[in-house]
Amino acid sequence: MLVLHEIIEHKLAGKPELDSRVRQALQRDARRYGRVVKRSSEGEVTCPWYLGDMSAIPAVQVCDGDDIQIWKKRLGTEILEAAESLCELCARLCAIVSFIPKFQRASGRESFLETTPPSVPNPSNILAVELESWLVLHPWTSSPIGLKFLVVTTYGSIESTWISFYIEMHGADKRLDKPLQTSFGSSTNSEPASKFLGAALSNCLKHHIDCRPQIPGDRFIPSRLIDLSGYPLIRVTTRQQIETKPPHGSIEYFTLSHIWGQDIFLTLNSGTLEHLESGFEASELPTCFHDAINTTRRFGFQYLWIDSLCIIQDSAEDWLVQSCTMDRVYSFGICNIAACNANNAQKSLFTSSDPSLGGPFFVNCSWSGFPSTFSVFHDWFEIVSEYAPLYTRGWVLQERMLSPRTMHFATYPFWECQKVVLSEAYPNEKFHHYRHSWLLDPVKLSSKARSSPGGIWSSVVEDYSRCFLTKPTDKLVAISGIAKALHPGCEQDYFAGLWRETFLAHLLWKAKKILDGYDESTVRLENVYVAPSWSWASIEGPVEFDLDEIAEPLLHILEVTTTLASGDRFGNLIGGSLVVRGVLTRFPTIRSLFACQSPLVEQDIRFAVNLDDCGDFYYDNITWFLPVARVYEPESPIRGLLVQESSNASVEKQQFTRIGYAKLSESGEIANSGVFLEDWTLCHQSGENLKKIVVL
């Protein structure tokens, strides 16, 4: 690897008059061409991970997940020192760790949504972690394809995450070795960023057939849009007003995804309706909205849709009407503007960042005794998609998935459409598809996804359940747009977040208690009704589905009903029930199940028994196991629900509430714990043991 400290020292020596911009430019040049070693009175500060000889690094074959060797474990202090020395790898690690909210919590930062631009690594974040690392080899060629880092907090609550870098050896085709732009913008509002996004938008509109409306000739205009034609005087206009203007036909508009925050700002309500429709100054709006307006105009479009200005906020009737059309509002928009890093509307849409950290760096090293040149990449879009403040919000998932195109204004600008994800570092579509298979696929409802909705629904729900909703009652409404888009015209097949075609499999959901290394609370909502207990929407918190393939159903579904709060089957509910014919077997009480068990046995039980609630009010109640299905898994193939008699049960008939999920062996053993169900009888779907069971 090329060391450039002599060049830097030569250029800077005896020149204190050089301003900071010149010095930063020299340092960026050094980063671009190699690693700089910082000299001090204590000696040289070198990178904790020496990449000069990759053959000496313990490796993990990706085809053997059990073969784990720790290459090195290093404290955050060492990484920070090396980053300050302009080590390419450590500088990127510092920037990524600084961006991830859970490490901000571990370092004592107050706001979960407050992120640090990667150009300003937060030392307290870095000092609070340690990193373990591995080199990953290709399963067939045994050549290096990546570096994996496990980042773990060193004090406080245990937080962890994986960070991946991708390695590619330079090939004979030099055109593929030079896909990178040499001039990155220092802000997502810079000229290079605008050129990149504009080129991606133009190319998509001209050439991507899959990104156009699914039904040719179909058109939709939202009830209201913001008309920007008279900027800086703008106004809220209605569909009726738009349709009377030439040219008649489809209207092209942008949409905005953002976080409201706690600040008060100008919104559409009964008191401001006349003012906003007659015309008002754009400067009256918060910074994020004003930036979105300028972005829309920059790319040559007249109309913009923002929820707080296009839905009457103090009208339950208007909210109900508009919430039912969210799937069409975003699906028919030309492009969605995503304010990824702004944790409230007063923050800017744009972010400043260090352009030198956005792309790959190059390593000259030895591999198997031969000199080689490698490119080391990190996909910032992967981190942004997982941890940017915007993507912690429940409503935003459907806004992102339904929009045919999205401009992500994040750490760096990213373009996403149904066909491809691009960035300033990887702006070439052919290069993206041909070379970088590790880059994230678009999170969009493509025509392929729509053709097999059952397969995608479980992953949609799992991603959605990790997000936060200000109003828990929005649980079903905020995902209704995706449901409608997946099953157009199939309203009768949808029940409280479950589809008829996959109903049995999706009954086997479980609360995800461990999420990214820390215990995640899940609570059934008691004060407000959201969904029946058999639906994943009945709890607040992350869920996951049992993905083992069903070999045999163990109950018959007789009837599923939901009571609608309005006429929309995808909207809010006020009741629901599931009637099945199956077998109920007495289960140990929850308290007795976990009492006086050895740590090893308790671990086995917790692996097999998953409870919906974090409270203890049901710990001593009589509990029953309701088998749902047998799966193709030898040790614990019986999967089912844990139920207790419902407090809302009527006098005439016995009714139950789901309290959790469990899996058993064929003999009725809970995992390998040695605990068996008494009177366990797993009969087939006939016989006297079958009974009618109602789950609310």
Side-chain angles (χ1 to χ4, degrees), residues 387-501:
Y387 297 112
L390 183 67
Y391 298 123
T392 66
R393 317 300 286 187
W395 280 95
V396 173
L397 179 65
Q398 72 173 10
E399 295 170 8
R400 178 180 178 184
M401 292 189 72
L402 295 174
S403 301
R405 307 165 191 88
T406 301
M407 294 179 181
H408 300 268
F409 289 87
T411 309
Y412 301 95
F414 298 99
W415 168 266
E416 180 186 21
C417 62
Q418 291 190 13
K419 192 170 183 179
V420 71
V421 174
L422 299 173
S423 73
E424 285 181 294
Y426 322 112
N428 187 307
E429 193 169 311
K430 289 183 179 180
F431 177 85
H432 178 286
H433 284 301
Y434 178 76
R435 192 76 179 274
H436 294 296
S437 59
W438 45 263
L439 284 170
L440 286 188
D441 290 328
V443 183
K444 299 289 185 186
L445 283 188
S446 63
S447 55
K448 181 179 179 181
R450 294 170 194 260
S451 65
S452 56
I456 194 177
W457 185 247
S458 56
S459 61
V460 168
V461 169
E462 287 177 356
D463 290 344
Y464 174 69
S465 67
R466 299 177 57 162
C467 298
F468 173 73
L469 287 169
T470 303
K471 298 179 180 179
T473 51
D474 290 346
K475 189 89 174 190
L476 290 170
V477 180
I479 200 175
S480 63
I482 301 175
K484 291 177 182 178
L486 283 173
H487 276 271
C490 298
E491 291 83 357
Q492 301 305 314
D493 294 330
Y494 186 75
F495 305 95
L498 283 74
W499 292 99
R500 187 188 303 276
E501 65 178 283

Side-chain angles (χ1 to χ4, degrees), residues 5-15 18 26 29:
H5 61 273
E6 294 88 356
I7 299 175
I8 297 296
E9 288 178 356
H10 175 73
K11 289 190 176 183
L12 298 182
K15 296 186 178 180
L18 290 179
L26 291 173
D29 289 342

Side-chain angles (χ1 to χ4, degrees), residues 12 44 78 83 306 312 396 471 483 559 591 658 684:
L12 298 182
E44 292 186 347
E78 300 174 81
I306 302 177
I312 302 176
V396 173
K471 298 179 180 179
E559 184 183 21
R591 191 178 302 279
R658 172 189 154 133
H684 294 284

Side-chain angles (χ1 to χ4, degrees), residues 229-243:
S229 58
Y231 183 89
L233 190 68
I234 62 178
R235 68 186 186 90
V236 174
T237 187
T238 65
R239 178 193 298 133
Q240 292 75 16
Q241 292 170 329
I242 293 172
E243 288 179 329

Side-chain angles (χ1 to χ4, degrees), residues 157-220:
S157 60
I158 297 177
E159 317 276 4
S160 66
T161 199
W162 287 94
I163 297 174
S164 297
F165 286 79
Y166 306 92
I167 298 174
E168 293 185 354
M169 185 180 295
H170 281 212
D173 190 342
K174 295 301 181 182
R175 292 173 300 171
L176 295 178
D177 286 336
K178 298 180 180 179
L180 311 173
Q181 293 190 7
T182 56
S183 59
F184 288 65
S186 59
S187 163
T188 51
N189 192 33
S190 65
E191 184 178 352
S194 296
K195 286 184 177 179
F196 155 66
L197 292 172
L201 174 62
S202 177
N203 181 68
C204 180
L205 291 174
K206 290 178 181 178
H207 302 296
H208 293 178
I209 297 175
D210 291 342
C211 298
R212 298 168 188 170
Q214 298 297 311
I215 305 175
D218 197 5
R219 60 187 294 268
F220 172 80

